[in-house]
Amino acid sequence: MYEILEKKTLSENVKLMRIHAPLVAEKAKAGQFVMLRIDEKGERIPLTIADYDRKKGTVTIIFMEVGKTTKQLGTMEAGDKILNFVGPLGQPSEIEKFGTVVMVGGGVGIAPLYPIVRELKKAGNYVISILGARNKSLLMLEEEIERFSDEIHICTDDGSKGVKGFVSDVLQKLIDAGKKIDVVWAVGPVIMMKVVSDLTRKYGIRTVVSLNPIMVDGTGMCGSCRVSVGGETKFACVDGPEFDGHLVDFDNLMLRNQRFVEEEKHACKLLERRGI
Amino acid sequence: MGVKKEKHKMPEQPPEERIHNFNEVPLGYPVEVAVEEAKRCLQCKNRPCTKGCPVEIDIPDFIKKIAEGDFDKAVEVLKTKTSLPAVCGRVCPYENQCEGQCTLLKVGEPVAIGRLERFLADYERMKGVKPPKIPESTGKKVAIIGAGPAGLTCAGDLAKMGHSVTIFEALHAPGGVLMYGIPEFRLPKEIVKSEVDYIEKLGVEIKYDIVVGKTITIEELRREYDAVFIGTGAGLPRFLNIPGENLNGVYSANEFLTRVNMMKAYLFPEYDTPIKIGKTVATFGAGNVAMDCARTALRLGAKKSLIIYRRSEKEMPARAEEIEHAKEEGIEFKLLTNPVEFIGDEKGVLKAVKCIKMKLGEPDETGRCRPVPIPGSEFTLDIDTALIAIGQSPNPLISQTMKNLKVGKHGNIVTDENGRTNIPGVFAGGDIATGAATVILAMGAGKRAARAIDEYLKSK
């Protein structure tokens, strides 16, 4: 059992939790993820690691309440325990001195972006961060990310904070201004990662995306998370979750993420009926 | 000689009933039938059956005790060699092993050794399993990676030798393929749990949620333990590598079975993990896993469940009993047929499969006739769900993270016949060493490795 040590509400349906999981914290690296299961009847879901503290033995997760499991998790409080919490899984981000890196985070994708920003800054990169969300209340970790960024740009779809527009608009402006960019990281909704990858492809800028497809075991056993990368089938859980954005078949990924939409809706409805 | 030529029949749930539930299909021998069946044994001096058993069970001895009605003693004999009798008594391919060597085959059917083993294991479980005697500790510590058939057997045997054993399991439940792979109607999960419970009573500790190679490294384990056994199985699903395989509605057998068996998707929404099953389900492959998939699909409500296989019936790798059960339940077999493409609708959902007819050519390196496509014989079948059951490869996680470990060309860990790898103190066995095989072969490998580990520990 893994105790929730701290819970924070970042926005109406985005929660942060610090979980006591010393073995996971000990090995966690930026870009990796965990699989968790709340209780005996629960589903196993993947969540990208938002932070870790090896000394305290804790792992931070940030999640948006979108499905049955995340909604139920959102009702849990500090002191409650999660039945299973496995990790760190997947390949860590490639951290080295690239030169100038642009870190694009969209919505809840800003959370897993944070440790990558931090490690890339520590590795000596010039870090430009672009954070975007639908509105102000869905932005997060701005201060933390700013601390490890040389430049930070904020944008919202409705203009409630920063520039009104999409992260790709901001990125386009940086490119137009003649900024020499060595690598772009894009973490967020699939459509955002697709748009960013389509943009950088035109300029030949290497782009890393972090995928979050449906998983069951998270250890390479089931192939539920398979994605087509450069025409080859890869498992996001063991080969990823990060891939070359220019090679990922995002359209197929979007369709595969819809596999259990009806079942999810049904499960959420039952949860609501129970008053959760 | 008045020996009955046929095995006593085991009662089963009728097909028309069982395709609507996940309860076990065979119901087990009643006491009097077990005793009668045991009396068919000729008690041969040369014990061909024992020679055919990968874990060397003293078969004539336990059968004699059943014939005498001394079931407790029979259980004792059985359990000196196997810690998982209720599992073996259900999923072993007896026809190729113990029963395949039985002297009675000369005049008729062999003694139903598998059914008798199952009878004893069930008898013991009903009565309440006697806690085993725990031997004096040797002070040696062994780490086992993977709580599947190989790891559990190795752990049980080492514990009986007095070593302190810890199993590291990546998933949240024990049993490996016994839990995630083999369906409830063939191997009830309660039975797996009770067998694991017995191994824990021997003093074995199981730690869950630990992915060795990720959560801890094998090098760390080697520093803390005197020996390590790797039994991580063949978890990597193979795909057909044909167009359309990533359409919604195409599952690997592993994903489908894990969702249903381990995550209990057949009880959705009481359990959170969903599964989608269409009206027509096609399973590709004809091994035991394929039969499990096709039969599970029926129980989930499929109107039509097909097995599509590129060779003929004779080459099907599944056990005869599994094929028989599948046929009784109305599974349709489309043989000498190979898929070439999955076809989807505009939403990326599977709606059909394009296949080609095959004929058998010259035998290949496995001795089976190589299937050859018949040009121009393509046809399309409307299907809603496709299950790919064409085999699994060894799990690469450990070999990827332990660079000096010798690995074969299929990703299997190279060992000698007793499970020794090229690194002293590191042993491996089961599907990770042999590639996908059977539960009992993995158990046999775990057993031999336990002996080799014991020798190694004593020599240290």
Side-chain angles (χ1 to χ4, degrees):
Chain A
M1 299 287 269
Y2 305 83
E3 192 180 347
I4 301 168
L5 298 178
E6 186 194 355
K7 177 192 180 184
K8 266 200 246 174
T9 300
L10 300 186
S11 74
E12 195 194 333
N13 59 355
V14 179
K15 308 268 158 78
L16 173 150
M17 280 179 180
R18 228 156 34 81
I19 313 286
H20 186 245
L23 288 176
V24 184
E26 175 72 32
K27 292 284 160 44
K29 286 197 175 128
Q32 292 185 297
F33 68 95
V34 294
M35 294 294 301
L36 68 81
R37 188 174 72 130
I38 297 174
D39 55 31
E40 207 47 57
K41 293 182 177 178
E43 187 173 11
R44 292 168 68 97
I45 62 156
L47 285 175
T48 316
I49 294 170
D51 204 357
Y52 46 87
D53 186 329
R54 298 201 210 289
K55 278 201 201 108
K56 291 185 182 140
T58 60
V59 174
T60 303
I61 50 172
I62 295 178
F63 56 93
M64 187 183 272
E65 297 168 359
V66 282
K68 197 261 178 182
T69 302
T70 44
K71 281 186 177 150
Q72 190 186 342
L73 189 61
T75 65
M76 296 175 78
E77 300 296 338
D80 290 344
K81 285 177 177 152
I82 295 171
L83 186 54
N84 303 102
F85 193 85
V86 197
L89 299 169
Q91 304 295 333
S93 304
E94 188 188 340
I95 304 294
E96 59 177 83
K97 191 173 173 181
F98 297 103
T100 299
V101 292
V102 174
M103 309 300 290
V104 183
V108 78
I110 297 170
L113 189 74
Y114 167 58
I116 313 174
V117 167
R118 186 180 63 203
E119 297 307 311
L120 284 170
K121 181 65 199 161
K122 281 189 195 161
N125 290 284
Y126 185 83
V127 178
I128 304 171
S129 296
I130 306 174
L131 309 183
R134 281 204 314 279
N135 60 54
K136 188 177 145 185
S137 77
L138 293 169
L139 284 165
M140 61 186 81
L141 305 176
E142 293 152 81
E143 277 172 38
E144 287 86 346
I145 287 179
E146 192 165 10
R147 202 181 312 144
F148 295 100
S149 302
D150 295 281
E151 293 175 29
I152 186 161
H153 302 268
I154 307 283
C155 60
T156 47
D157 297 4
D158 65 354
S160 53
K161 188 160 188 191
V163 185
K164 182 173 180 199
F166 301 122
V167 287
S168 49
D169 302 334
V170 180
L171 179 59
Q172 179 75 63
K173 274 192 190 130
L174 287 176
I175 295 169
D176 291 345
K179 201 73 151 182
K180 189 192 163 290
I181 300 167
D182 295 292
V183 189
V184 169
W185 246 268
V187 187
V190 180
I191 187 69
M192 182 208 91
M193 295 192 282
K194 177 180 153 80
V195 169
V196 168
S197 299
D198 284 345
L199 171 62
T200 55
R201 187 184 288 114
K202 283 192 283 191
Y203 300 96
I205 306 168
R206 186 181 155 197
T207 300
V208 180
V209 294
S210 177
L211 308 184
N212 194 7
I214 300 169
M215 297 185 185
V216 183
D217 63 291
T219 65
M221 207 181 81
C222 79
S224 170
C225 67
R226 62 192 189 272
V227 285
S228 176
V229 181
E232 245 183 90
T233 293
K234 299 275 182 192
F235 289 2
C237 67
V238 287
D239 303 318
E242 293 188 352
F243 292 102
D244 179 343
H246 297 158
L247 299 178
V248 170
D249 183 344
F250 289 105
D251 295 336
N252 182 248
L253 176 62
M254 278 186 263
L255 291 172
R256 285 189 66 75
N257 280 349
Q258 301 297 310
R259 282 199 289 160
F260 299 105
V261 167
E262 292 149 39
E263 288 79 5
E264 195 66 62
K265 269 190 203 144
H266 182 60
C268 286
K269 214 175 272 170
L270 293 176
L271 195 69
E272 268 168 42
R273 242 180 257 163
R274 278 165 46 198
I276 293 171
Chain B
M1 283 276 292
V3 180
K4 186 173 175 293
K5 285 202 173 95
E6 291 86 33
K7 290 178 182 178
H8 287 80
K9 290 217 174 348
M10 177 157 58
E12 287 180 350
Q13 263 202 85
E16 60 280 8
E17 211 170 274
R18 70 192 193 223
I19 58 166
H20 300 296
N21 67 54
F22 273 84
N23 300 337
E24 200 175 5
V25 170
L27 302 170
Y29 274 158
V31 174
E32 56 281 9
V33 179
V35 172
E36 280 311 307
E37 181 63 27
K39 285 181 182 160
R40 290 182 66 226
C41 177
L42 301 176
Q43 292 292 320
C44 310
K45 290 265 177 324
N46 59 344
R47 302 174 167 249
C49 47
T50 295
K51 288 182 194 121
C53 174
V55 296
E56 307 147 26
I57 294 172
D58 301 307
I59 295 164
D61 298 347
F62 87 70
I63 292 185
K64 185 156 184 262
K65 291 295 159 197
I66 297 178
E68 289 166 4
D70 188 353
F71 304 141
D72 292 319
K73 186 73 193 157
V75 168
E76 214 181 294
V77 174
L78 184 61
K79 283 199 136 175
T80 53
K81 293 287 166 68
T82 173
S83 300
L84 306 169
V87 172
C88 292
R90 287 172 165 82
V91 302
C92 258
Y94 342 102
E95 61 278 11
N96 304 327
Q97 298 172 356
C98 51
E99 294 185 16
Q101 309 296 321
C102 182
T103 310
L104 280 184
L105 277 169
K106 287 175 194 153
V107 293
E109 289 186 346
V111 176
I113 301 168
R115 291 173 188 174
L116 290 174
E117 180 180 23
R118 176 195 157 125
F119 164 77
L120 275 185
D122 291 353
Y123 162 83
E124 192 201 18
R125 205 176 53 260
M126 296 303 174
K127 215 177 135 218
V129 176
K130 233 180 19 194
K133 271 185 236 135
I134 300 173
E136 208 174 308
S137 169
T138 60
K140 300 283 188 192
K141 291 166 72 182
V142 183
I144 304 237
I145 308 169
L152 288 172
T153 303
C154 191
D157 281 20
L158 286 167
K160 284 179 195 163
M161 296 168 188
H163 304 305
S164 159
V165 184
T166 308
I167 304 183
F168 296 87
E169 168 58 46
L171 296 172
H172 59 255
V177 72
L178 306 175
M179 194 61 93
Y180 72 74
I182 302 176
E184 180 78 17
F185 58 84
R186 204 148 76 76
L187 180 63
K189 302 307 147 212
E190 277 310 311
I191 286 171
V192 180
K193 280 190 192 134
S194 100
E195 305 259 64
V196 171
D197 190 47
Y198 176 77
I199 286 167
E200 286 182 306
K201 281 191 181 132
L202 286 165
V204 172
E205 188 193 356
I206 307 180
K207 292 190 180 201
Y208 299 99
D209 297 344
I210 294 185
V211 183
V212 175
K214 291 285 180 190
T215 317
I216 43 174
T217 64
I218 217 163
E219 293 306 329
E220 287 171 295
L221 288 179
R222 288 182 71 202
R223 281 198 286 277
E224 204 186 319
Y225 293 85
D226 299 297
V228 177
F229 174 79
I230 307 167
T232 47
L236 194 71
R238 286 195 200 130
F239 284 94
L240 292 158
N241 293 315
I242 60 172
E245 203 158 23
N246 291 345
L247 287 167
N248 292 353
V250 183
Y251 298 86
S252 74
N254 266 10
E255 180 184 355
F256 179 70
L257 293 174
T258 302
R259 281 180 181 275
V260 179
N261 298 329
M262 193 174 79
M263 305 310 297
K264 301 210 184 302
Y266 65 96
L267 297 174
F268 179 88
E270 188 199 341
Y271 281 73
D272 290 343
T273 305
I275 189 80
K276 254 194 167 77
I277 199 86
K279 281 199 190 82
T280 305
V281 179
T283 301
F284 299 87
N288 291 326
V289 174
M291 300 305 143
D292 286 347
C293 284
R295 297 173 67 197
T296 298
L298 272 188
R299 285 158 173 80
L300 288 172
K303 294 282 168 282
K304 201 167 168 187
S305 183
L306 307 164
I307 289 270
I308 296 182
Y309 180 53
R310 59 190 182 142
R311 303 184 212 243
S312 72
E313 174 146 7
K314 209 172 77 199
E315 288 84 17
M316 295 205 291
R319 293 181 52 209
E321 186 183 319
E322 303 309 326
I323 296 169
E324 202 43 52
H325 277 148
K327 283 184 178 168
E328 284 169 13
E329 291 172 11
I331 307 288
E332 279 179 46
F333 288 75
K334 283 212 173 295
L335 304 173
L336 291 164
T337 303
N338 209 26
V340 285
E341 184 185 354
F342 291 109
I343 300 160
D345 64 14
E346 66 290 346
K347 285 181 177 161
V349 178
L350 175 73
K351 60 172 194 182
V353 60
K354 193 168 144 193
C355 295
I356 189 162
K357 288 270 182 207
M358 310 291 278
K359 62 177 182 208
L360 290 180
E362 294 299 306
D364 63 10
E365 63 277 8
T366 66
R368 293 183 300 178
C369 288
R370 194 189 298 275
V372 191
I374 302 171
S377 66
E378 289 91 347
F379 65 100
T380 303
L381 265 177
D382 288 346
I383 59 170
D384 305 293
T385 307
L387 308 173
I388 316 293
I390 55 166
Q392 291 94 238
S393 305
N395 195 314
L397 243 166
I398 288 193
S399 43
Q400 271 171 8
T401 51
M402 196 182 184
K403 293 280 176 276
N404 52 348
L405 185 67
K406 203 171 160 198
V407 174
K409 66 173 173 195
H410 300 293
N412 54 306
I413 296 176
V414 178
T415 69
D416 70 5
E417 72 277 13
N418 292 312
R420 294 182 190 93
T421 68
N422 65 312
I423 300 169
V426 178
F427 300 77
D431 285 2
I432 190 66
T434 56
T438 59
V439 169
I440 188 70
L441 286 176
M443 289 177 58
K447 192 166 202 64
R448 288 193 302 279
R451 244 180 256 152
I453 291 169
D454 185 50
E455 267 170 42
Y456 170 80
L457 294 174
K458 281 178 180 150
S459 72
K460 259 179 68 164

